[in-house]
Amino acid sequence: MTDAPPAPTAVAGPDAAAERLFQQIMMDPANENPYAGYHELRDRAPALITSDGTLVLTRHADCDAALRHRALGKGNEIQGFRLRPIPEDRLRELMDRLERSMSFANPPDHSRLRRVVSSAFTGRHIENLRPSVTARVDALLDGLAAEPGADFMAGFAQRLPVGVVGDLLGVPEQDRSGFGAQVAALAAMVEPTADADTLGRAITAESELAAYFTELLAHKREHPADDLLSRLVGARDKESLDEAETVATALLLLGAGIETTGHLLANTLHTLLGHPAALDALRADPALIPGAVEEVLRYDSPVQFDARTVLEPVSFAGAELEPGQTVTIMLAAGNYDPARFDDPDTFDIRRTDNAHLSFAAGIHFCLGAGLARLEVQVFLERLLSRHPSVSLAGAPQRRPGLGLRGFERIPVTLGP
């Protein structure tokens, strides 16, 4: 018997001024600090019903409850949370294959898909990756150190996850060079501001990646190796994935593992460079690094919001919700909720009880959370032990948009 999901605390209702604020937050592509807006929105309308019937949540307890509620699942929320409409037929063209992955599935399909893949993400398996991750981190840091003023995004944050996920899946090293641009094009579809051109580029990237993995899976059947894709195509039990599910799973793991982890690496470096006392404390006591990674996840998460579709009639936060309605869950607003976190606007690497929502919660809790944590922890361990001096070599350039919060460029200099 499982515990009942937490109950929402806010009472939903419309508020025209709050809705304008919500749209302003979501639509501003250059919002350096959305967190002040989250505070204002939470104070004014913590459970907002917008004019199109979307429920917007900003309290930690309500966000957590929505993520765990079985009546709120996967459906048409990618269209539903958009503030700039795109043609439904074009979105369907993109989603037909992606919906075969666990990220877009509901039980029982979700349960089966997750069980099949989860063996690659156990704590033991992730820890076994530490030596190879460390070797990749060291090699990339050597490259950055050799070029003062080099771009951390291009030289490290975009390359480490490609290597790690490529190793996990079993992608040949020589095939990985174009993945970063393709995954970035695919990930852009999550932006509320995405237009038809953005969607077109995502469709092209998805089609190219799907064709590549279809061909790679055929090769794995004939030449299996010790990697996840070989295990998936070699499985012969009743829960085995079909080819469409396997391709969709590869696309999911590639996209989630590269884009979100890359931006987490960059947000970590940027946050710590902005808090030199914390950086000094980590250098003096590396045992603080795991807690610092959790605090970066809370303080400046790459994933600022999530969404769910109402699957069945349900009363939630005082609102009677009908199937097809969208619930937008402002994860980063929950991470800054003073009802859950003491002094939430302060970056504190010694914060305890850090129940942030950056990996979501419930059945869709991020499967790759352990791998992302490992990559960032190893990065900090090796950076701080090998380079006494780390500094910005120019002004960082933010990535536009809120769907994935991160950077396009961070010029850095690593001292010996």
Side-chain angles (χ1 to χ4, degrees):
M1 184 176 180
T2 58
D3 295 333
T9 62
V11 177
D15 186 308
E19 183 170 353
R20 287 193 297 272
L21 174 61
F22 168 65
Q23 292 180 348
Q24 177 184 337
I25 293 170
M26 298 289 276
M27 293 291 285
D28 184 354
N31 194 344
E32 178 63 30
N33 179 21
Y35 303 105
Y38 295 151
H39 281 311
E40 185 179 351
L41 181 60
R42 189 191 319 104
D43 290 343
R44 185 177 186 97
L48 170 69
I49 296 288
T50 68
S51 53
D52 67 358
T54 296
L55 173 62
V56 180
L57 303 172
T58 46
R59 285 183 183 171
H60 183 282
D62 301 331
C63 292
D64 189 42
L67 291 168
R68 298 174 189 273
H69 204 297
R70 293 303 180 94
L72 308 179
K74 292 298 182 173
N76 195 37
E77 64 272 9
I78 285 186
Q79 184 72 293
F81 69 62
R82 294 191 176 281
L83 300 178
R84 179 175 291 164
I86 57 176
E88 179 69 33
D89 60 336
R90 295 289 280 164
L91 183 63
R92 175 50 44 203
E93 185 178 351
L94 178 63
M95 295 303 299
D96 276 344
R97 190 172 3 245
L98 296 180
E99 285 180 347
R100 303 298 297 275
S101 74
M102 72 188 82
S103 185
F104 296 96
N106 296 306
D109 287 340
H110 172 272
S111 306
R112 175 179 61 87
L113 293 166
R114 190 168 178 116
R115 275 196 302 270
V116 171
V117 179
S118 60
S119 62
F121 294 92
T122 63
R124 178 183 61 80
H125 191 86
I126 295 299
E127 189 57 33
N128 287 342
L129 295 174
R130 183 177 290 272
S132 64
V133 172
T134 301
R136 287 190 176 277
V137 167
D138 283 346
L140 293 172
L141 288 176
D142 287 344
L144 284 181
E147 186 183 350
D151 177 22
F152 178 76
M153 292 303 301
F156 191 98
Q158 293 170 345
R159 295 178 63 186
L160 177 63
V162 170
V164 173
V165 176
D167 290 345
L168 182 74
L169 292 176
V171 176
E173 190 85 37
Q174 66 271 16
D175 293 350
R176 303 176 188 179
S177 60
F179 279 173
Q182 289 173 310
V183 169
L186 187 57
M189 76 175 197
V190 305
E191 292 294 345
T193 57
D195 56 17
D197 289 341
T198 301
L199 191 65
R201 290 189 290 271
I203 290 170
T204 299
E206 190 271 347
S207 179
E208 292 172 349
L209 288 169
Y212 171 79
F213 279 110
T214 299
E215 184 176 335
L216 181 60
L217 291 174
H219 177 79
K220 297 288 185 183
R221 290 189 186 93
E222 299 298 323
H223 307 281
D226 184 18
D227 56 60
L228 179 57
L229 291 184
S230 293
R231 291 193 291 276
L232 291 179
V233 298
R236 293 291 182 268
D237 57 58
K238 65 180 181 180
E239 291 198 334
S240 301
L241 307 189
D242 63 28
E243 178 151 312
E245 290 171 335
T246 306
V247 170
T249 297
L251 293 178
L252 169 65
L253 297 177
L254 189 73
I258 291 176
E259 277 292 285
T260 54
T261 303
H263 289 304
L264 176 58
L265 287 161
N267 291 359
T268 299
L269 179 63
H270 181 259
T271 300
L272 288 171
L273 289 176
H275 296 83
L279 195 62
D280 291 343
L282 294 179
R283 203 184 297 277
D285 185 3
L288 295 172
I289 286 176
V293 173
E294 298 307 305
E295 179 66 348
V296 172
L297 281 160
R298 184 200 69 82
Y299 186 79
D300 200 20
S301 172
V303 182
Q304 295 277 300
F305 62 88
D306 202 348
R308 295 290 185 270
T309 295
V310 179
L311 302 179
E312 60 188 58
V314 63
S315 177
F316 189 92
E320 299 302 319
L321 304 178
E322 295 297 326
Q325 281 184 259
T326 299
V327 179
T328 298
I329 303 162
M330 303 303 292
L331 304 174
N335 287 344
Y336 271 65
D337 186 352
R340 182 61 183 82
F341 300 100
D342 292 335
D343 195 13
D345 294 291
T346 295
F347 179 69
D348 181 4
I349 62 173
R350 293 179 173 82
R351 187 182 298 276
T352 59
D353 188 26
N354 195 344
H356 62 75
L357 299 171
S358 300
F359 290 128
I363 65 171
H364 287 284
F365 180 84
C366 177
L367 184 63
L371 184 58
R373 285 169 165 141
L374 174 70
E375 292 179 62
V376 183
Q377 288 174 18
V378 171
F379 158 60
L380 287 178
E381 290 164 4
R382 304 304 292 165
L383 175 73
L384 298 178
S385 66
R386 299 181 60 205
H387 298 283
S389 172
V390 183
S391 60
L392 290 173
Q397 181 181 346
R398 275 270 175 205
R399 175 191 184 276
L402 197 66
L404 280 172
R405 180 169 165 82
F407 291 87
E408 291 191 343
R409 270 184 58 82
I410 303 181
V412 295
T413 297
L414 307 185

